[in-house]
Amino acid sequence: MSLEISITDQPGGIKRIAIGGSLDTDTAPQLQQEVDSKITDTVNTTIIDFKELDYLSSAGLRVIFKAKKIMDNSGGKFLLVNLQPQIKKVFEIIKALDGMNVFKDQNEMDDYLTDMQNKVKDGDI
Amino acid sequence: MISSNTGSVADQCIVNVEGLTSNCQRLFDEWESFAVGAGVPADIRHELKLVIEETFVNIASYAFDDNMDRTVEIKLMHHHAKEPSDQDIITISFLDHGIAFDPLAKSAPESQDSLDQGGMGIQLIRSLTDQQDYRRIDQRNVFTLSRRYTPR
């Protein structure tokens, strides 16, 4: 099965990467290439949207963690949204969800982003 | 092999694949066709597909030097429960003539910082199977995994 990647820019330096299909040994290099070229230090927030992702293996996880590391190193935010149960299970097995910003759906994440923007406006951050 | 006088029924399939990570898809197709034919439920098929990828990629990445015979033989077996109260068992064996290589010897990553360094595969294999067994037999690596589930 193949991997679909769709990347959109959102206001406020947000890069949203929606992935669908299978993120495995065969397809992980495709995502790696996108991460290498699109996740730069001008990006404030990277969102990985797993809504259409059916399958994830450790090769795919490694790319996700590399992207997280780039954001951690530049002080940016790294958010995961719409993890399907079989995908969430993979993250749980390797105990990777602690310390990750994971949102169950779009609404929950939008609330968080709005809250963050308001804090920036109010000068809290 | 299951002998006929035990009364249990087993489906079996043997696949020979060259040990190259680019052959995962071929293996997935073989697994899916075997498992669907054996009536394995979708969630178990999905989890064991992951186990197969992690194991095969591990072998393809570490068990061979240049110019070695890279053939990996994969035996898929499905034992049907004899009684309604029993569980079905799926056994997957990987056999190769590579360098002695025990996938279980690779330790799990110790902290989140090292998660992107690998070692996650074996954690997934251990979690998604009930038994893992590595042996070196007649110059071959024999790695066998089994998973039980209640038939639905």
Side-chain angles (χ1 to χ4, degrees), chain B residues 2 7-10 38-41 43-44 47 77-91 128-131 146-152:
Chain B
I2 298 299
S8 61
V9 185
V40 181
D43 57 332
I44 307 287
E47 292 184 3
M77 257 183 139
H78 180 232
H79 305 263
H80 294 273
K82 277 186 279 180
E83 308 288 338
S85 57
D86 285 351
Q87 290 188 301
D88 281 18
I89 306 169
I90 295 168
T91 306
L128 297 173
T129 55
D130 297 301
Q131 275 187 323
S146 60
R147 166 73 182 258
R148 294 170 178 275
Y149 69 93
T150 305
R152 282 157 248 172

Side-chain angles (χ1 to χ4, degrees), chain A residues 1 25 57-58 89 98, chain B residues 25 46-47 53-54 112 127:
Chain A
M1 201 156 78
T25 300
S57 74
S58 69
K89 184 168 184 178
D98 292 347
Chain B
Q25 188 59 51
H46 186 95
E47 292 184 3
E53 175 180 337
E54 299 298 346
Q112 261 207 10
S127 297

